[in-house]
């Protein structure tokens, strides 16, 4: 399932990250190969998801630093990262309005050729139409709401028609349903109650889970919404407990998840709890403490970092950042490799490095990576549809297997 890493020797070393792009003329011709291209990185460094944003950022920066240390893209072009924070104190997490503002700033800089991010689908929904108008591609390592790339929503999320929202993960059209399969086939659940945090991601994955749960004969006892800014969920949990469900499924991210985990552990301690990649987090087991124990969560990608083929990569990451990566650090690393491969092919073909050409060449990607061969369908979605399941044991997520696809 996994393939050998591309043969390339990299030299580790953290590059300085500038918030201002270097002054240079827009790239206009095949003969004018630039010495630098700017790649935006948009993640929520403020608020509840900051730890995961750091994990993703570090994966992307590791790839950038290694490419630059090897002489740059095609041995000619250095990558200048431009980081922006779409988390705000007011939101307490990612903020779609801030994501939109950041995207307008990326678009206004003619040297920005692509954006790595966003982390969250709510930000993706705000960013995508702005990027589409400018022909600026985004490549997300973790945003999974399927609407953004669904051809039924072209007028809303890509008004210029062409796919500009690419992913190195699959979508919740698979992540939610495959977890429902796992709930029935692996856990033997017969009834479940569903909660979501009202965000684009949370609602989307919870609804996708619910649809497949019903199709599999799982009795859905109800579906409620949580306000992420509220502190007390015991009323709804007490109501759910009275229904005696076999399990609880939560669609959403950290801000509500930690509070939910702690309170659910008190109200219904023995009921299995399930979620999506919004709770597959660097910090969820630490912040929720013992309440996180036995929670199950999916990611929208193969489990890779524990595989033998990835151990050299993991060791380089640990040496560089003094921490262990989670899988979305690797999908962020691979997102940068896609851009490296895309621009390398442009240079080799003598094609001008423009936003439109970067998008077009990215569409034709077929790139071997540690997570498998990355290639995209016509909507920018990853062709690989593997969903991996993890469970918290001794305060750490442990891989338990791939979710059933049928």
């Amino acid at each position: 399932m996994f393939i050998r890493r591309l043969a390339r020797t990299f030299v580790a070393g953290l590059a300085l990250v500038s918030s201002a792009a270097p002054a240079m003329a827009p790239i206009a011709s095949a003969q004018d190969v630039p010495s630098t291209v700017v790649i935006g990185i948009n993640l929520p460094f403020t608020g509840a998801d900051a730890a995961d944003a750091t994990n993703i950022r570090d994966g992307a920066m590791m790839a950038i630093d290694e490419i630059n240390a090897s002489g740059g893209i095609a041995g000619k072009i250095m990558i200048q990262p431009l980081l922006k924070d779409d988390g705000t104190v007011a939101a307490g997490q990612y903020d779609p309005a801030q994501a939109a503002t950041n995207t307008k700033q990326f678009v206004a800089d003619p040297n920005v050729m692509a954006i790595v991010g966003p982390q969250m689908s709510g930000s993706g929904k705000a960013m995508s139409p702005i990027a589409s108008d400018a022909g600026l591609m985004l490549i997300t390592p973790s945003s999974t709401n399927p609407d953004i790339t669904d051809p039924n929503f072209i007028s809303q999320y890509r008004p210029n028609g062409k796919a500009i929202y690419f992913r190195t993960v699959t979508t919740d059209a698979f992540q939610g349903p495959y977890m429902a399969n796992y709930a029935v086939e692996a856990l033997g659940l017969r009834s479940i109650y569903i909660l979501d945090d009202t965000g684009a991601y949370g609602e989307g994955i919870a609804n996708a889970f619910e649809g497949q749960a019903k199709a599999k004969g799982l009795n859905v006892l109800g579906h409620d919404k949580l306000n992420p800014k509220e502190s007390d969920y015991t009323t709804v949990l007490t109501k759910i407990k009275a229904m005696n469900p076999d399990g609880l499924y939560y669609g959403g991210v950290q801000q509500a998840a930690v509070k939910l985990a702690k309170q659910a552990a008190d109200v219904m301690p023995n009921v299995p709890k399930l979620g999506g990649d919004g709770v597959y987090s660097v910090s969820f087991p630490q912040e929720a403490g013992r309440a996180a124990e036995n929670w199950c969560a999916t990611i929208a990608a193969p489990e890779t970092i524990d595989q033998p083929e990835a151990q050299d990569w993991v060791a380089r990451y640990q040496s560089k950042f003094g921490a262990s990566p989670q899988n979305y650090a690797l999908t962020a690393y691979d997102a940068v490799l896609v851009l490296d491969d895309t621009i390398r092919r442009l240079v080799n073909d003598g094609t001008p490095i423009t936003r439109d050409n970067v998008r077009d060449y990215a569409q034709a990607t077929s790139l071997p990576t540690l997570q498998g061969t990355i290639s995209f369908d016509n909507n920018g979605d990853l062709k690989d549809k593997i969903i991996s399941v993890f469970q918290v044991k001794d305060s750490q997520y442990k891989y338990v297997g791939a979710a059933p696809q049928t």
Side-chain angles (χ1 to χ4, degrees):
M1 179 169 115
F2 298 99
I3 59 179
R4 189 176 301 273
R5 172 171 59 93
L6 288 175
R8 180 187 297 165
T9 301
F10 292 127
V11 180
L14 186 61
L16 292 176
V17 179
S18 171
S19 63
M24 59 185 182
I27 301 154
S29 70
Q31 291 72 34
D32 183 22
V33 176
S35 61
T36 305
V37 295
V38 179
I39 302 299
I41 298 176
N42 185 90
L43 300 166
F45 299 113
T46 298
D49 304 296
D52 295 314
T54 299
N55 176 66
I56 291 170
R57 178 203 66 195
D58 289 348
M61 285 303 304
M62 181 171 157
I64 291 171
D65 293 345
E66 290 180 344
I67 292 165
N68 286 344
S70 70
I73 300 171
K76 299 177 181 181
I77 305 170
M78 304 298 280
I79 301 174
Q80 174 66 50
L82 176 57
L83 275 71
K84 291 187 182 293
D85 183 0
D86 69 355
T88 63
V89 173
Q93 58 179 0
Y94 73 95
D95 187 334
Q98 185 62 50
T101 296
N102 292 351
T103 309
K104 291 173 184 177
Q105 293 171 353
F106 285 130
V107 164
D109 183 343
N111 301 303
V112 175
M113 290 295 117
I115 301 169
V116 175
Q119 179 176 334
M120 302 298 185
S121 295
S123 290
K125 288 189 170 185
M127 296 172 73
S128 189
I130 300 168
S132 177
D133 283 338
L136 179 63
M137 73 167 283
L138 303 99
I139 182 162
T140 174
S142 61
S143 162
T144 52
N145 183 277
D147 292 355
I148 304 170
T149 47
D150 188 330
N152 291 320
F153 296 100
I154 283 178
S155 62
Q156 186 171 352
Y157 296 120
R158 44 175 160 137
N160 274 355
K162 286 186 176 181
I164 53 88
Y165 201 87
F166 295 84
R167 310 184 203 246
T168 54
V169 291
T170 191
T171 75
D172 295 335
F174 303 94
Q175 186 177 191
Y178 289 6
M179 185 53 132
N181 294 341
Y182 184 84
V184 173
E185 297 179 26
L187 299 180
L189 304 188
R190 294 164 298 175
S191 63
I192 200 150
Y193 204 97
I194 299 171
L195 297 169
D196 72 62
D197 69 352
T198 76
Y201 160 76
E203 285 188 340
I205 195 170
N207 289 340
F209 175 91
E210 180 174 358
Q212 179 66 1
K214 290 177 177 177
K216 294 287 287 186
L218 192 58
N219 184 14
V220 176
L221 300 174
H223 184 159
D224 282 328
K225 297 185 177 299
L226 303 177
N227 182 341
K229 293 188 177 182
E230 288 183 356
S231 59
D232 188 356
Y233 303 139
T234 54
T235 299
V236 68
L237 287 170
T238 301
K239 178 187 77 171
I240 295 168
K241 179 183 178 181
M243 297 181 180
N244 196 30
D246 287 345
L248 180 70
Y249 183 85
Y250 166 71
V253 297
Q254 283 277 101
Q255 192 174 19
V258 171
K259 293 175 285 189
L260 173 64
K262 290 179 177 179
Q263 293 165 33
D266 291 334
V267 176
M268 40 201 302
N270 298 319
V271 174
K273 287 91 175 175
L274 294 73
D277 50 359
V279 294
Y280 174 79
S281 164
V282 173
S283 58
F284 175 72
Q286 285 70 43
E287 293 186 15
R290 295 298 300 176
E293 201 70 8
N294 295 319
W295 268 73
C296 290
T298 49
I299 65 168
E303 196 291 320
T304 303
I305 59 175
D306 287 334
Q307 300 302 316
E309 296 90 339
Q311 293 318 294
D312 175 68
W313 183 88
V314 170
R316 296 200 315 271
Y317 183 101
Q318 290 172 330
S319 175
K320 187 175 183 64
F321 300 112
S324 295
Q326 286 197 313
N327 278 281
Y328 286 169
L330 182 63
T331 57
Y333 181 92
D334 286 349
V336 175
L337 293 191
V338 168
L339 297 176
D340 171 49
D341 173 73
T342 296
I343 297 173
R344 180 185 302 271
R345 286 185 283 119
L346 283 166
V347 171
N348 290 343
D349 288 351
T351 303
I353 302 172
T354 65
R355 289 175 177 174
D356 285 340
N357 288 340
V358 168
R359 192 231 71 89
D360 289 348
Y361 270 56
Q363 183 78 75
T365 295
S366 181
L367 179 66
T369 71
L370 284 173
Q371 71 180 86
T373 297
I374 292 178
S375 58
F376 307 109
D377 65 18
N378 290 335
N379 299 308
D381 285 332
L382 188 67
K383 289 182 178 179
D384 192 347
K385 310 300 185 188
I386 295 172
I387 302 298
S388 301
V389 183
F390 297 79
Q391 188 171 32
V392 179
K393 293 292 183 183
D394 298 323
S395 300
Q396 290 187 331
Y397 272 112
K398 304 293 185 183
Y399 177 63
V400 295
Q405 297 190 9
T406 59

